[in-house]
PDB file of all heavy atoms in Angstrom:
ATOM      1  N   SER G   1      84.318 146.696 173.531  1.00 98.00           N
ATOM      2  CA  SER G   1      85.579 145.885 173.209  1.00 98.00           C
ATOM      3  C   SER G   1      85.478 144.528 174.029  1.00 98.00           C
ATOM      4  O   SER G   1      84.702 144.437 174.986  1.00 98.00           O
ATOM      5  CB  SER G   1      86.830 146.535 173.785  1.00 98.00           C
ATOM      6  OG  SER G   1      87.056 147.726 173.180  1.00 98.00           O
ATOM      7  N   LEU G   2      86.218 143.572 173.509  1.00 98.00           N
ATOM      8  CA  LEU G   2      86.140 142.220 174.079  1.00 98.00           C
ATOM      9  C   LEU G   2      87.466 141.564 173.656  1.00 98.00           C
ATOM     10  O   LEU G   2      88.063 141.740 172.637  1.00 98.00           O
ATOM     11  CB  LEU G   2      84.988 141.376 173.365  1.00 98.00           C
ATOM     12  CG  LEU G   2      84.138 140.392 174.284  1.00 98.00           C
ATOM     13  CD1 LEU G   2      83.699 140.975 175.548  1.00 98.00           C
ATOM     14  CD2 LEU G   2      82.901 140.052 173.428  1.00 98.00           C
ATOM     15  N   ARG G   3      87.964 140.680 174.596  1.00 98.00           N
ATOM     16  CA  ARG G   3      89.153 139.761 174.163  1.00 98.00           C
ATOM     17  C   ARG G   3      88.774 138.342 174.267  1.00 98.00           C
ATOM     18  O   ARG G   3      88.403 137.928 175.274  1.00 98.00           O
ATOM     19  CB  ARG G   3      90.336 140.130 175.099  1.00 98.00           C
ATOM     20  CG  ARG G   3      91.632 139.476 174.644  1.00 98.00           C
ATOM     21  CD  ARG G   3      92.712 139.706 175.449  1.00 98.00           C
ATOM     22  NE  ARG G   3      92.881 138.892 176.608  1.00 98.00           N
ATOM     23  CZ  ARG G   3      93.979 138.463 177.245  1.00 98.00           C
ATOM     24  NH1 ARG G   3      95.185 138.985 176.813  1.00 98.00           N
ATOM     25  NH2 ARG G   3      94.030 137.802 178.337  1.00 98.00           N
ATOM     26  N   LEU G   4      88.963 137.602 173.134  1.00 98.00           N
ATOM     27  CA  LEU G   4      88.714 136.238 173.131  1.00 98.00           C
ATOM     28  C   LEU G   4      89.930 135.516 173.254  1.00 98.00           C
ATOM     29  O   LEU G   4      91.031 135.980 172.923  1.00 98.00           O
ATOM     30  CB  LEU G   4      88.086 135.866 171.719  1.00 98.00           C
ATOM     31  CG  LEU G   4      86.844 136.642 171.255  1.00 98.00           C
ATOM     32  CD1 LEU G   4      86.504 136.078 169.917  1.00 98.00           C
ATOM     33  CD2 LEU G   4      85.750 136.662 172.395  1.00 98.00           C
ATOM     34  N   SER G   5      89.799 134.258 173.866  1.00 98.00           N
ATOM     35  CA  SER G   5      90.937 133.464 174.049  1.00 98.00           C
ATOM     36  C   SER G   5      90.721 132.111 173.480  1.00 98.00           C
ATOM     37  O   SER G   5      89.598 131.555 173.446  1.00 98.00           O
ATOM     38  CB  SER G   5      91.273 133.245 175.642  1.00 98.00           C
ATOM     39  OG  SER G   5      91.673 134.466 176.173  1.00 98.00           O
ATOM     40  N   CYS G   6      91.776 131.496 172.938  1.00 98.00           N
ATOM     41  CA  CYS G   6      91.723 130.044 172.474  1.00 98.00           C
ATOM     42  C   CYS G   6      92.848 129.332 173.079  1.00 98.00           C
ATOM     43  O   CYS G   6      93.920 129.402 172.694  1.00 98.00           O
ATOM     44  CB  CYS G   6      91.787 130.098 170.868  1.00 98.00           C
ATOM     45  SG  CYS G   6      92.040 128.428 170.099  1.00 98.00           S
ATOM     46  N   ALA G   7      92.436 128.494 174.015  1.00 98.00           N
ATOM     47  CA  ALA G   7      93.424 127.605 174.675  1.00 98.00           C
ATOM     48  C   ALA G   7      93.478 126.293 173.860  1.00 98.00           C
ATOM     49  O   ALA G   7      92.470 125.686 173.567  1.00 98.00           O
ATOM     50  CB  ALA G   7      92.896 127.305 176.180  1.00 98.00           C
ATOM     51  N   THR G   8      94.672 125.853 173.500  1.00 97.00           N
ATOM     52  CA  THR G   8      94.854 124.572 172.783  1.00 97.00           C
ATOM     53  C   THR G   8      95.753 123.754 173.589  1.00 97.00           C
ATOM     54  O   THR G   8      96.422 123.996 174.467  1.00 97.00           O
ATOM     55  CB  THR G   8      95.574 124.903 171.461  1.00 97.00           C
ATOM     56  OG1 THR G   8      97.050 124.996 171.604  1.00 97.00           O
ATOM     57  CG2 THR G   8      95.107 126.237 170.742  1.00 97.00           C
ATOM     58  N   SER G   9      95.696 122.472 173.213  1.00 96.00           N
ATOM     59  CA  SER G   9      96.500 121.450 173.727  1.00 96.00           C
ATOM     60  C   SER G   9      97.520 120.920 172.742  1.00 96.00           C
ATOM     61  O   SER G   9      98.061 119.878 172.955  1.00 96.00           O
ATOM     62  CB  SER G   9      95.567 120.198 174.137  1.00 96.00           C
ATOM     63  OG  SER G   9      95.021 119.583 173.033  1.00 96.00           O
ATOM     64  N   GLU G  10      97.815 121.747 171.852  1.00 95.00           N
ATOM     65  CA  GLU G  10      98.747 121.509 170.706  1.00 95.00           C
ATOM     66  C   GLU G  10     100.197 121.527 171.306  1.00 95.00           C
ATOM     67  O   GLU G  10     100.665 122.566 171.659  1.00 95.00           O
ATOM     68  CB  GLU G  10      98.640 122.447 169.587  1.00 95.00           C
ATOM     69  CG  GLU G  10      99.671 122.191 168.477  1.00 95.00           C
ATOM     70  CD  GLU G  10      99.784 120.846 167.962  1.00 95.00           C
ATOM     71  OE1 GLU G  10      98.849 120.390 167.245  1.00 95.00           O
ATOM     72  OE2 GLU G  10     100.716 120.043 168.331  1.00 95.00           O
ATOM     73  N   SER G  11     100.862 120.436 171.411  1.00 94.00           N
ATOM     74  CA  SER G  11     102.231 120.296 171.960  1.00 94.00           C
ATOM     75  C   SER G  11     103.268 121.108 171.082  1.00 94.00           C
ATOM     76  O   SER G  11     104.279 121.437 171.511  1.00 94.00           O
ATOM     77  CB  SER G  11     102.588 118.905 172.248  1.00 94.00           C
ATOM     78  OG  SER G  11     102.678 118.153 171.018  1.00 94.00           O
ATOM     79  N   LYS G  12     102.947 121.169 169.812  1.00 96.00           N
ATOM     80  CA  LYS G  12     103.858 121.830 168.856  1.00 96.00           C
ATOM     81  C   LYS G  12     103.332 123.249 168.470  1.00 96.00           C
ATOM     82  O   LYS G  12     103.436 123.663 167.248  1.00 96.00           O
ATOM     83  CB  LYS G  12     104.087 120.965 167.665  1.00 96.00           C
ATOM     84  CG  LYS G  12     104.854 119.616 167.920  1.00 96.00           C
ATOM     85  CD  LYS G  12     105.170 118.817 166.638  1.00 96.00           C
ATOM     86  CE  LYS G  12     105.631 117.501 167.123  1.00 96.00           C
ATOM     87  NZ  LYS G  12     106.882 117.572 167.937  1.00 96.00           N
ATOM     88  N   PHE G  13     102.623 123.838 169.450  1.00 97.00           N
ATOM     89  CA  PHE G  13     101.951 125.069 169.109  1.00 97.00           C
ATOM     90  C   PHE G  13     102.665 126.106 168.397  1.00 97.00           C
ATOM     91  O   PHE G  13     102.234 126.739 167.463  1.00 97.00           O
ATOM     92  CB  PHE G  13     101.513 125.664 170.514  1.00 97.00           C
ATOM     93  CG  PHE G  13     100.736 127.042 170.393  1.00 97.00           C
ATOM     94  CD1 PHE G  13      99.334 127.017 170.253  1.00 97.00           C
ATOM     95  CD2 PHE G  13     101.401 128.171 170.473  1.00 97.00           C
ATOM     96  CE1 PHE G  13      98.642 128.143 170.166  1.00 97.00           C
ATOM     97  CE2 PHE G  13     100.705 129.353 170.395  1.00 97.00           C
ATOM     98  CZ  PHE G  13      99.375 129.381 170.222  1.00 97.00           C
ATOM     99  N   ASP G  14     103.929 126.251 168.724  1.00 97.00           N
ATOM    100  CA  ASP G  14     104.694 127.363 168.191  1.00 97.00           C
ATOM    101  C   ASP G  14     105.171 127.165 166.748  1.00 97.00           C
ATOM    102  O   ASP G  14     105.660 128.197 166.150  1.00 97.00           O
ATOM    103  CB  ASP G  14     105.902 127.757 169.149  1.00 97.00           C
ATOM    104  CG  ASP G  14     106.826 126.473 169.403  1.00 97.00           C
ATOM    105  OD1 ASP G  14     106.411 125.343 169.448  1.00 97.00           O
ATOM    106  OD2 ASP G  14     108.137 126.690 169.415  1.00 97.00           O
ATOM    107  N   ILE G  15     105.062 125.930 166.205  1.00 97.00           N
ATOM    108  CA  ILE G  15     105.629 125.817 164.861  1.00 97.00           C
ATOM    109  C   ILE G  15     104.382 126.009 163.810  1.00 97.00           C
ATOM    110  O   ILE G  15     104.646 126.103 162.616  1.00 97.00           O
ATOM    111  CB  ILE G  15     106.178 124.401 164.634  1.00 97.00           C
ATOM    112  CG1 ILE G  15     105.071 123.317 164.642  1.00 97.00           C
ATOM    113  CG2 ILE G  15     107.142 124.134 165.700  1.00 97.00           C
ATOM    114  CD1 ILE G  15     105.551 122.009 164.116  1.00 97.00           C
ATOM    115  N   TYR G  16     103.199 126.233 164.282  1.00 97.00           N
ATOM    116  CA  TYR G  16     102.103 126.500 163.357  1.00 97.00           C
ATOM    117  C   TYR G  16     101.678 127.946 163.451  1.00 97.00           C
ATOM    118  O   TYR G  16     101.839 128.638 164.332  1.00 97.00           O
ATOM    119  CB  TYR G  16     100.905 125.630 163.772  1.00 97.00           C
ATOM    120  CG  TYR G  16     101.161 124.078 163.653  1.00 97.00           C
ATOM    121  CD1 TYR G  16     101.374 123.308 164.807  1.00 97.00           C
ATOM    122  CD2 TYR G  16     101.217 123.454 162.451  1.00 97.00           C
ATOM    123  CE1 TYR G  16     101.554 121.929 164.658  1.00 97.00           C
ATOM    124  CE2 TYR G  16     101.367 122.152 162.268  1.00 97.00           C
ATOM    125  CZ  TYR G  16     101.565 121.389 163.480  1.00 97.00           C
ATOM    126  OH  TYR G  16     101.859 120.016 163.285  1.00 97.00           O
ATOM    127  N   GLY G  17     100.938 128.197 162.284  1.00 98.00           N
ATOM    128  CA  GLY G  17     100.173 129.483 162.249  1.00 98.00           C
ATOM    129  C   GLY G  17      98.769 129.155 162.900  1.00 98.00           C
ATOM    130  O   GLY G  17      98.372 128.031 162.879  1.00 98.00           O
ATOM    131  N   TRP G  18      98.204 130.231 163.310  1.00 98.00           N
ATOM    132  CA  TRP G  18      96.836 130.087 163.928  1.00 98.00           C
ATOM    133  C   TRP G  18      95.928 131.168 163.439  1.00 98.00           C
ATOM    134  O   TRP G  18      96.374 132.255 162.994  1.00 98.00           O
ATOM    135  CB  TRP G  18      97.019 130.239 165.510  1.00 98.00           C
ATOM    136  CG  TRP G  18      97.720 129.064 166.113  1.00 98.00           C
ATOM    137  CD1 TRP G  18      99.102 128.991 166.237  1.00 98.00           C
ATOM    138  CD2 TRP G  18      97.194 127.836 166.490  1.00 98.00           C
ATOM    139  NE1 TRP G  18      99.471 127.768 166.685  1.00 98.00           N
ATOM    140  CE2 TRP G  18      98.251 127.023 166.936  1.00 98.00           C
ATOM    141  CE3 TRP G  18      95.863 127.320 166.510  1.00 98.00           C
ATOM    142  CZ2 TRP G  18      98.262 125.724 167.395  1.00 98.00           C
ATOM    143  CZ3 TRP G  18      95.725 125.861 167.029  1.00 98.00           C
ATOM    144  CH2 TRP G  18      96.832 125.200 167.440  1.00 98.00           C
ATOM    145  N   ALA G  19      94.644 130.864 163.394  1.00 98.00           N
ATOM    146  CA  ALA G  19      93.613 131.714 162.831  1.00 98.00           C
ATOM    147  C   ALA G  19      92.346 131.827 163.611  1.00 98.00           C
ATOM    148  O   ALA G  19      92.099 130.833 164.353  1.00 98.00           O
ATOM    149  CB  ALA G  19      93.380 131.391 161.420  1.00 98.00           C
ATOM    150  N   TRP G  20      91.672 132.869 163.614  1.00 98.00           N
ATOM    151  CA  TRP G  20      90.284 133.023 164.082  1.00 98.00           C
ATOM    152  C   TRP G  20      89.357 133.075 162.846  1.00 98.00           C
ATOM    153  O   TRP G  20      89.654 133.740 161.823  1.00 98.00           O
ATOM    154  CB  TRP G  20      90.168 134.348 164.856  1.00 98.00           C
ATOM    155  CG  TRP G  20      90.737 134.286 166.211  1.00 98.00           C
ATOM    156  CD1 TRP G  20      91.972 134.637 166.606  1.00 98.00           C
ATOM    157  CD2 TRP G  20      90.225 133.707 167.440  1.00 98.00           C
ATOM    158  NE1 TRP G  20      92.156 134.449 168.023  1.00 98.00           N
ATOM    159  CE2 TRP G  20      91.010 133.794 168.550  1.00 98.00           C
ATOM    160  CE3 TRP G  20      88.874 133.192 167.689  1.00 98.00           C
ATOM    161  CZ2 TRP G  20      90.732 133.437 169.840  1.00 98.00           C
ATOM    162  CZ3 TRP G  20      88.462 132.681 168.949  1.00 98.00           C
ATOM    163  CH2 TRP G  20      89.455 132.843 169.997  1.00 98.00           C
ATOM    164  N   TYR G  21      88.211 132.528 163.113  1.00 98.00           N
ATOM    165  CA  TYR G  21      87.085 132.466 162.084  1.00 98.00           C
ATOM    166  C   TYR G  21      85.878 132.849 162.857  1.00 98.00           C
ATOM    167  O   TYR G  21      85.730 132.752 164.043  1.00 98.00           O
ATOM    168  CB  TYR G  21      87.015 131.064 161.485  1.00 98.00           C
ATOM    169  CG  TYR G  21      88.177 130.531 160.891  1.00 98.00           C
ATOM    170  CD1 TYR G  21      89.085 129.911 161.739  1.00 98.00           C
ATOM    171  CD2 TYR G  21      88.317 130.645 159.512  1.00 98.00           C
ATOM    172  CE1 TYR G  21      90.320 129.291 161.163  1.00 98.00           C
ATOM    173  CE2 TYR G  21      89.547 130.080 158.927  1.00 98.00           C
ATOM    174  CZ  TYR G  21      90.463 129.462 159.691  1.00 98.00           C
ATOM    175  OH  TYR G  21      91.648 128.943 159.142  1.00 98.00           O
ATOM    176  N   ARG G  22      84.858 133.159 162.117  1.00 98.00           N
ATOM    177  CA  ARG G  22      83.567 133.495 162.714  1.00 98.00           C
ATOM    178  C   ARG G  22      82.381 133.061 161.868  1.00 98.00           C
ATOM    179  O   ARG G  22      82.568 132.995 160.590  1.00 98.00           O
ATOM    180  CB  ARG G  22      83.454 135.032 163.081  1.00 98.00           C
ATOM    181  CG  ARG G  22      83.300 135.863 161.831  1.00 98.00           C
ATOM    182  CD  ARG G  22      83.247 137.343 162.305  1.00 98.00           C
ATOM    183  NE  ARG G  22      83.175 138.315 161.257  1.00 98.00           N
ATOM    184  CZ  ARG G  22      83.333 139.606 161.394  1.00 98.00           C
ATOM    185  NH1 ARG G  22      83.476 140.138 162.563  1.00 98.00           N
ATOM    186  NH2 ARG G  22      83.196 140.378 160.267  1.00 98.00           N
ATOM    187  N   GLN G  23      81.353 132.766 162.439  1.00 98.00           N
ATOM    188  CA  GLN G  23      80.184 132.148 161.782  1.00 98.00           C
ATOM    189  C   GLN G  23      78.770 132.808 162.315  1.00 98.00           C
ATOM    190  O   GLN G  23      78.365 132.319 163.349  1.00 98.00           O
ATOM    191  CB  GLN G  23      80.145 130.693 161.800  1.00 98.00           C
ATOM    192  CG  GLN G  23      79.004 130.038 160.971  1.00 98.00           C
ATOM    193  CD  GLN G  23      79.194 128.575 160.912  1.00 98.00           C
ATOM    194  OE1 GLN G  23      79.707 127.871 161.774  1.00 98.00           O
ATOM    195  NE2 GLN G  23      78.604 127.897 159.751  1.00 98.00           N
ATOM    196  N   PRO G  24      78.340 133.707 161.633  1.00 98.00           N
ATOM    197  CA  PRO G  24      77.017 134.223 162.052  1.00 98.00           C
ATOM    198  C   PRO G  24      75.950 133.076 161.863  1.00 98.00           C
ATOM    199  O   PRO G  24      76.138 132.256 160.956  1.00 98.00           O
ATOM    200  CB  PRO G  24      76.736 135.339 161.047  1.00 98.00           C
ATOM    201  CG  PRO G  24      78.042 135.758 160.570  1.00 98.00           C
ATOM    202  CD  PRO G  24      78.828 134.437 160.518  1.00 98.00           C
ATOM    203  N   THR G  25      74.890 133.157 162.771  1.00 97.00           N
ATOM    204  CA  THR G  25      73.931 132.042 162.551  1.00 97.00           C
ATOM    205  C   THR G  25      73.320 132.031 161.177  1.00 97.00           C
ATOM    206  O   THR G  25      72.949 132.916 160.585  1.00 97.00           O
ATOM    207  CB  THR G  25      72.754 132.311 163.588  1.00 97.00           C
ATOM    208  OG1 THR G  25      73.287 132.368 164.929  1.00 97.00           O
ATOM    209  CG2 THR G  25      71.682 131.266 163.600  1.00 97.00           C
ATOM    210  N   GLY G  26      73.309 130.796 160.658  1.00 97.00           N
ATOM    211  CA  GLY G  26      72.733 130.526 159.422  1.00 97.00           C
ATOM    212  C   GLY G  26      73.676 130.947 158.167  1.00 97.00           C
ATOM    213  O   GLY G  26      73.287 130.731 157.048  1.00 97.00           O
ATOM    214  N   LYS G  27      74.913 131.315 158.372  1.00 98.00           N
ATOM    215  CA  LYS G  27      75.841 131.720 157.317  1.00 98.00           C
ATOM    216  C   LYS G  27      77.018 130.886 157.432  1.00 98.00           C
ATOM    217  O   LYS G  27      77.226 130.216 158.369  1.00 98.00           O
ATOM    218  CB  LYS G  27      76.238 133.212 157.409  1.00 98.00           C
ATOM    219  CG  LYS G  27      75.002 134.148 157.336  1.00 98.00           C
ATOM    220  CD  LYS G  27      75.385 135.596 157.326  1.00 98.00           C
ATOM    221  CE  LYS G  27      74.250 136.500 157.299  1.00 98.00           C
ATOM    222  NZ  LYS G  27      74.676 137.882 157.298  1.00 98.00           N
ATOM    223  N   ARG G  28      77.889 130.930 156.461  1.00 97.00           N
ATOM    224  CA  ARG G  28      79.059 130.149 156.376  1.00 97.00           C
ATOM    225  C   ARG G  28      80.128 130.669 157.194  1.00 97.00           C
ATOM    226  O   ARG G  28      80.171 131.933 157.507  1.00 97.00           O
ATOM    227  CB  ARG G  28      79.618 129.998 154.787  1.00 97.00           C
ATOM    228  CG  ARG G  28      79.924 131.342 154.279  1.00 97.00           C
ATOM    229  CD  ARG G  28      80.276 131.219 152.748  1.00 97.00           C
ATOM    230  NE  ARG G  28      81.476 130.373 152.639  1.00 97.00           N
ATOM    231  CZ  ARG G  28      82.735 130.870 152.690  1.00 97.00           C
ATOM    232  NH1 ARG G  28      83.010 132.176 152.868  1.00 97.00           N
ATOM    233  NH2 ARG G  28      83.747 130.079 152.463  1.00 97.00           N
ATOM    234  N   ARG G  29      81.067 129.877 157.537  1.00 98.00           N
ATOM    235  CA  ARG G  29      82.132 130.354 158.465  1.00 98.00           C
ATOM    236  C   ARG G  29      83.077 131.195 157.582  1.00 98.00           C
ATOM    237  O   ARG G  29      83.434 130.859 156.453  1.00 98.00           O
ATOM    238  CB  ARG G  29      82.787 129.208 159.005  1.00 98.00           C
ATOM    239  CG  ARG G  29      84.027 129.455 159.905  1.00 98.00           C
ATOM    240  CD  ARG G  29      84.510 128.302 160.708  1.00 98.00           C
ATOM    241  NE  ARG G  29      84.530 127.102 160.052  1.00 98.00           N
ATOM    242  CZ  ARG G  29      83.806 125.994 160.217  1.00 98.00           C
ATOM    243  NH1 ARG G  29      83.041 126.002 161.261  1.00 98.00           N
ATOM    244  NH2 ARG G  29      83.871 124.848 159.494  1.00 98.00           N
ATOM    245  N   GLU G  30      83.524 132.337 158.087  1.00 98.00           N
ATOM    246  CA  GLU G  30      84.579 133.123 157.406  1.00 98.00           C
ATOM    247  C   GLU G  30      85.831 133.295 158.151  1.00 98.00           C
ATOM    248  O   GLU G  30      85.801 133.402 159.424  1.00 98.00           O
ATOM    249  CB  GLU G  30      83.868 134.372 157.058  1.00 98.00           C
ATOM    250  CG  GLU G  30      83.587 135.322 158.234  1.00 98.00           C
ATOM    251  CD  GLU G  30      83.112 136.690 157.909  1.00 98.00           C
ATOM    252  OE1 GLU G  30      83.386 137.171 156.801  1.00 98.00           O
ATOM    253  OE2 GLU G  30      82.346 137.271 158.706  1.00 98.00           O
ATOM    254  N   TRP G  31      86.907 133.517 157.520  1.00 98.00           N
ATOM    255  CA  TRP G  31      88.143 133.728 158.057  1.00 98.00           C
ATOM    256  C   TRP G  31      88.208 135.290 158.561  1.00 98.00           C
ATOM    257  O   TRP G  31      87.764 136.204 157.957  1.00 98.00           O
ATOM    258  CB  TRP G  31      89.272 133.545 157.012  1.00 98.00           C
ATOM    259  CG  TRP G  31      90.569 134.171 157.528  1.00 98.00           C
ATOM    260  CD1 TRP G  31      91.449 133.533 158.393  1.00 98.00           C
ATOM    261  CD2 TRP G  31      91.333 135.373 157.099  1.00 98.00           C
ATOM    262  NE1 TRP G  31      92.639 134.233 158.467  1.00 98.00           N
ATOM    263  CE2 TRP G  31      92.569 135.341 157.766  1.00 98.00           C
ATOM    264  CE3 TRP G  31      90.862 136.280 156.204  1.00 98.00           C
ATOM    265  CZ2 TRP G  31      93.390 136.354 157.509  1.00 98.00           C
ATOM    266  CZ3 TRP G  31      91.690 137.325 155.968  1.00 98.00           C
ATOM    267  CH2 TRP G  31      93.068 137.377 156.593  1.00 98.00           C
ATOM    268  N   VAL G  32      88.763 135.429 159.762  1.00 98.00           N
ATOM    269  CA  VAL G  32      88.909 136.745 160.388  1.00 98.00           C
ATOM    270  C   VAL G  32      90.367 137.229 160.459  1.00 98.00           C
ATOM    271  O   VAL G  32      90.641 138.332 160.136  1.00 98.00           O
ATOM    272  CB  VAL G  32      88.266 136.736 161.717  1.00 98.00           C
ATOM    273  CG1 VAL G  32      88.502 138.018 162.503  1.00 98.00           C
ATOM    274  CG2 VAL G  32      86.741 136.479 161.652  1.00 98.00           C
ATOM    275  N   ALA G  33      91.239 136.412 161.008  1.00 98.00           N
ATOM    276  CA  ALA G  33      92.601 136.882 161.290  1.00 98.00           C
ATOM    277  C   ALA G  33      93.541 135.688 161.343  1.00 98.00           C
ATOM    278  O   ALA G  33      93.113 134.588 161.689  1.00 98.00           O
ATOM    279  CB  ALA G  33      92.643 137.698 162.572  1.00 98.00           C
ATOM    280  N   THR G  34      94.836 135.950 161.049  1.00 98.00           N
ATOM    281  CA  THR G  34      95.763 134.962 161.126  1.00 98.00           C
ATOM    282  C   THR G  34      97.109 135.488 161.820  1.00 98.00           C
ATOM    283  O   THR G  34      97.393 136.626 161.664  1.00 98.00           O
ATOM    284  CB  THR G  34      96.216 134.465 159.645  1.00 98.00           C
ATOM    285  OG1 THR G  34      95.134 133.704 159.200  1.00 98.00           O
ATOM    286  CG2 THR G  34      97.494 133.561 159.688  1.00 98.00           C
ATOM    287  N   ILE G  35      97.718 134.595 162.528  1.00 98.00           N
ATOM    288  CA  ILE G  35      99.150 134.945 163.047  1.00 98.00           C
ATOM    289  C   ILE G  35      99.938 133.821 162.660  1.00 98.00           C
ATOM    290  O   ILE G  35      99.683 132.637 162.987  1.00 98.00           O
ATOM    291  CB  ILE G  35      99.010 135.187 164.553  1.00 98.00           C
ATOM    292  CG1 ILE G  35     100.509 135.697 165.004  1.00 98.00           C
ATOM    293  CG2 ILE G  35      98.506 134.046 165.348  1.00 98.00           C
ATOM    294  CD1 ILE G  35     100.455 136.344 166.329  1.00 98.00           C
ATOM    295  N   THR G  36     101.142 134.028 162.010  1.00 98.00           N
ATOM    296  CA  THR G  36     102.065 133.070 161.628  1.00 98.00           C
ATOM    297  C   THR G  36     102.903 132.588 162.735  1.00 98.00           C
ATOM    298  O   THR G  36     102.888 133.174 163.844  1.00 98.00           O
ATOM    299  CB  THR G  36     102.923 133.533 160.372  1.00 98.00           C
ATOM    300  OG1 THR G  36     103.755 134.467 160.935  1.00 98.00           O
ATOM    301  CG2 THR G  36     102.071 134.056 159.329  1.00 98.00           C
ATOM    302  N   SER G  37     103.744 131.514 162.530  1.00 97.00           N
ATOM    303  CA  SER G  37     104.620 131.082 163.512  1.00 97.00           C
ATOM    304  C   SER G  37     105.649 132.127 163.970  1.00 97.00           C
ATOM    305  O   SER G  37     105.784 132.357 165.144  1.00 97.00           O
ATOM    306  CB  SER G  37     105.370 129.859 162.969  1.00 97.00           C
ATOM    307  OG  SER G  37     106.272 129.337 163.962  1.00 97.00           O
ATOM    308  N   PRO G  38     106.234 132.932 162.973  1.00 97.00           N
ATOM    309  CA  PRO G  38     107.169 134.013 163.440  1.00 97.00           C
ATOM    310  C   PRO G  38     106.385 135.189 164.023  1.00 97.00           C
ATOM    311  O   PRO G  38     107.008 136.036 164.643  1.00 97.00           O
ATOM    312  CB  PRO G  38     107.861 134.311 162.161  1.00 97.00           C
ATOM    313  CG  PRO G  38     107.638 133.235 161.232  1.00 97.00           C
ATOM    314  CD  PRO G  38     106.324 132.706 161.547  1.00 97.00           C
TER     315      PRO G  38
END
């Protein structure tokens, strides 16, 4: 198990949705997960 963190400087952080993506070496970036504003 592992826990990743994404620290942002977005002053309006709470009004946006946020997502995680991943990119294996040599491959295209893919979407992993999303959390909406609510």
Side-chain angles (χ1 to χ4, degrees):
S1 297
L2 216 51
R3 189 177 82 150
L4 307 184
S5 296
C6 170
T8 83
S9 62
E10 175 57 70
S11 62
K12 300 183 186 300
F13 178 90
D14 57 323
I15 75 171
Y16 295 108
W18 295 87
W20 283 96
Y21 305 82
R22 66 186 183 187
Q23 185 170 27
T25 302
K27 299 182 179 180
R28 64 185 294 273
R29 180 164 46 238
E30 66 173 334
W31 169 78
V32 173
T34 291
I35 185 164
T36 68
S37 178

